[in-house]
Amino acid sequence: MIIDGTIKLSDAQEVTATAPSTNVWYRGDKSGRLYNPRTCLFVQVVKAGAGAAATPASGEGSEAGATAAVEATIQAVVQVSDDGSAWTSKIVGSEYTVADAVAGTMLINGQPILLDIDERFIRINYVVGGTISVAPKVSAFFAPDGTPHQKFNV
């Protein structure tokens, strides 16, 4: 399958801190609900990264001021908007440690997307917890048959 570049939200985007996808998809009108059960969203790690240990802030953890190490995490959140400026979270993907998010890991795996009439814009917000020392690269795309055929670099 060839993935149309106009329906890619990210193409090997480096994720070092919480940030939106490189691209925003605009469906164009308010003619009705957009839903095709064979069109699904995939968010895939295409190159692994590495997370640096972070220290919880004072008052977090089992004791105030605890300094136990916390692994960096990455999570994909699907956000929608009616005007492209105010965003609402619609789907929250699973949270992965950066160490577990190896090439090929699906942060969102084949999620059908149902947009309401006023949800004309869609993007992915990559949420990072902790500090990432080597940025993972992530791609997000729609696949028309629910089967990803995205190649990734190891």
Side-chain angles (χ1 to χ4, degrees), residues 4 11 14 18 21-22 28 36 43 49 59 64 71 74 78 84 140 153:
D4 183 347
D11 188 9
E14 287 190 352
T18 297
S21 54
T22 307
N36 178 344
V43 182
E71 288 192 63
I74 185 169
V78 178
N153 301 321

Side-chain angles (χ1 to χ4, degrees), residues 24-114:
V24 172
W25 185 64
Y26 172 60
R27 73 177 180 130
D29 61 17
K30 292 187 175 188
S31 63
R33 295 179 78 106
L34 169 73
Y35 179 69
N36 178 344
R38 294 177 50 96
T39 300
C40 299
L41 176 68
F42 295 86
V43 182
Q44 180 181 39
V45 176
V46 294
K47 185 174 181 188
T55 303
S58 178
E60 295 181 16
S62 59
E63 298 178 27
T67 58
V70 175
E71 288 192 63
T73 59
I74 185 169
Q75 182 177 40
V77 178
V78 178
Q79 294 184 323
V80 295
S81 174
D82 65 341
D83 61 3
S85 63
W87 296 92
T88 303
S89 295
K90 187 165 184 91
I91 299 167
V92 178
S94 299
E95 183 178 66
Y96 289 85
T97 64
V98 173
D100 289 337
V102 298
T105 300
M106 301 303 276
L107 302 179
I108 295 179
N109 191 3
Q111 175 69 49
I113 301 295
L114 175 62

